[in-house]
Amino acid sequence: MARLPILVAPDPRLKVKARPVEKVDEPLRRLMDDMLETMYAAPGIGLAAPQVGVDKRVLVIDIAKDGDPKTPLRMANPQLLWVSDDDAVYEEGCLSVPEQYADVTRPARIRVRFLDHQNEIRELDADGLLATVVQHEMDHLDGILFIDHLSNLKRNMILRKLSKSRKPLVGA
Ligand code: NI
């Protein structure tokens, strides 16, 4: 496994709509594992392939708390089958928007269909933090960052802070 460099906004590669994968084969499994290693090291709870400069609809997630057993999720071509009418608000951050946080409103519960690391079709019902993280990572596959859910004023404030504090990315 290998750690991959994480792109930071406003890198244009973060704004691209990523391409579906044909199937989850050995090279793609390796990408998923490298993404998990990169995410754990950051540390983060989710990472999408465009954040490491790979134009594929692939993401990884693990919301297990520090010290708890790992619960990695690997998804290719995720698709939302259903979203709830009720919303939830979480303070979100992003490895590509380091050290910036803001409240984002999203559907509270979702059902997602995806290809797992064995190339099997799976469905997952998620609520709470997991529902938010899945939607946050799926946004990345369409070139959308959490700051794109904020007002122009807030987004520009964050982008200005990012360009001032540019430094080698190690975490957040
Ligand atoms: Ni993110």
Side-chain angles (χ1 to χ4, degrees):
M1 296 217 289
R3 285 187 204 172
L4 310 165
I6 299 175
L7 305 181
V8 172
D11 192 304
R13 287 169 289 178
L14 293 167
K15 304 303 294 176
V16 171
K17 193 175 163 72
R19 283 182 234 203
V21 308
E22 265 174 49
K23 63 169 183 175
V24 180
D25 53 11
E26 195 50 44
L28 209 67
R29 268 192 287 279
R30 212 170 309 132
L31 170 68
M32 288 169 157
D33 286 343
D34 287 347
M35 285 171 58
L36 277 170
E37 184 180 341
T38 303
M39 181 193 82
Y40 287 132
I45 56 175
L47 188 67
Q51 292 181 273
V52 292
V54 177
D55 174 24
K56 291 185 194 304
R57 301 187 79 78
V58 170
L59 59 86
V60 296
I61 291 173
D62 192 340
I63 60 162
K65 292 203 177 68
D66 250 1
D68 285 353
K70 288 187 170 29
T71 55
L73 273 169
R74 301 164 173 90
M75 297 188 185
N77 299 347
Q79 245 186 308
L80 285 178
L81 299 179
W82 173 83
V83 299
S84 64
D85 289 331
D86 51 317
D87 290 331
V89 181
Y90 273 91
E91 187 178 57
E92 297 190 19
C94 181
L95 295 172
S96 295
V97 189
E99 289 167 34
Q100 306 300 321
Y101 303 91
D103 282 348
V104 177
T105 304
R106 303 182 187 270
R109 293 169 291 131
I110 60 164
R111 177 171 301 139
V112 60
R113 177 184 288 162
F114 59 97
L115 284 175
D116 72 3
H117 61 295
Q118 315 269 38
N119 200 47
E120 302 281 344
I121 297 172
R122 292 193 180 275
E123 286 182 14
L124 173 75
D125 289 310
D127 61 9
L129 178 62
L130 183 57
T132 284
V133 179
V134 170
Q135 293 174 84
H136 175 119
E137 301 311 327
M138 285 182 67
D139 268 357
H140 277 298
L141 306 181
D142 291 323
I144 298 166
L145 303 174
F146 81 92
I147 53 175
D148 295 321
H149 290 277
L150 310 177
S151 67
N152 285 339
L153 184 71
K154 272 192 192 164
R155 180 170 57 250
N156 289 335
M157 256 170 50
I158 288 178
L159 286 171
R160 220 171 306 133
K161 277 192 212 156
L162 277 184
S163 62
K164 274 189 200 150
S165 69
R166 187 55 57 80
K167 59 187 175 192
L169 177 64
V170 276

